[in-house]
Structure formats: C-alpha cells, structure tokens
Amino acid sequence: MKANSFEELLIWQKAIEIGVEIYSLSDQVPLKSDYKSRDQLIGCAISISNNIAEGFEYNNKLQFIRFLGYAKGSAGELRSQLALLVKVNRVSEETYLKLKEELIVLSRQIKALMTYLKNKKE
C-alpha cells in the first residue's frame, strides 16, 4: 500500500493516540501543576507525530527516513521521561507500563518502516 498522506500512516495515527493520552495524563494531578514536566511530556509526545508528518511531506525517501529516526528518538525520550516521573510519584506504575508498551510497539513499527524504506528499490 502506498500512502497518499501522512494521515493514512498507522504509525502517525498511533502517535496521535499516544499524544492524546499524554495530554490527558498531563491534565491530571500532580502533573497538572508541574509545568516543567508537563511541557516536556507534551513536547516529546507531539514531536513523534510531527516528525512523521514533516518527513512524509518532504516527499523524499532519505528525508523521510531521517525524520522517522527523529520520531523514534522522541518516543525513546518520552519513555525515559515517564520512567523518571514514575520514580518521583508523578505518574502511576500502571500508567507508565501501559504507555511504555505502546511506545515500544510504536518504536518497532517506525524502525520496520525505516528498514523497509532503506531496502526499497526506487
């Protein structure tokens, strides 16, 4: 299947879902008043979908692969921030484990697309 827009990409759709979850989490106590952590979490979360979209829109395979790498990096950064926030009791262990699993799956999917694109003949 060839995607005609980034909105058709399952990885972008999943990144948006994770972003929505992070916004919801950030609106709850205690993160609601922890502005620094809240901003960091939201920034990382939206960076995943934004990098997928931006890379796709360049309409250049190498640029897309590069931006997919950035998106994958942002997913890792978000996992790291969530791990820290669980340790300082800003995020529950249950929420952390759920989001961690979703982010690991998303990272694998991004990596698989990167590999596919690298190996794809023009």
Side-chain angles (χ1 to χ4, degrees):
M1 176 202 126
K2 173 142 174 56
N4 295 311
S5 69
F6 63 81
E7 292 94 344
E8 295 176 16
L9 297 172
L10 295 179
I11 57 169
W12 180 85
Q13 294 169 16
K14 185 61 184 171
I16 290 293
E17 288 174 20
I18 290 170
V20 169
E21 290 181 65
I22 293 298
Y23 264 100
S24 177
L25 177 64
S26 297
D27 284 343
Q28 298 171 25
V29 175
L31 283 176
K32 187 175 187 170
S33 58
D34 182 349
Y35 301 110
K36 179 72 171 165
S37 296
R38 186 178 193 281
D39 288 348
Q40 286 280 65
L41 275 179
I42 291 170
C44 277
I46 64 177
S47 181
I48 301 168
S49 57
N50 285 346
N51 276 303
I52 294 166
E54 184 175 355
F56 184 92
E57 287 298 317
Y58 279 113
N59 206 26
N60 175 294
K61 183 172 85 166
L62 292 178
Q63 287 282 68
F64 189 28
I65 292 168
R66 184 164 62 101
F67 276 85
L68 287 172
Y70 298 152
K72 190 174 180 314
S74 292
E77 184 180 359
L78 182 54
R79 278 181 26 226
S80 177
Q81 287 181 359
L82 288 165
L84 175 67
L85 290 172
V86 109
K87 300 278 187 199
V88 296
N89 298 313
R90 298 280 198 286
V91 172
S92 73
E93 181 82 18
E94 181 184 345
T95 298
Y96 165 66
L97 292 174
K98 177 185 180 294
L99 285 165
K100 177 184 172 188
E101 184 57 34
E102 289 179 39
L103 288 160
I104 287 170
V105 169
L106 179 58
S107 288
R108 284 185 190 137
Q109 291 170 335
I110 292 169
K111 176 70 173 158
L113 181 55
M114 291 170 70
T115 301
Y116 169 79
L117 291 170
K118 286 177 187 174
N119 295 329
K120 184 179 177 227
K121 304 291 183 227
E122 291 302 315

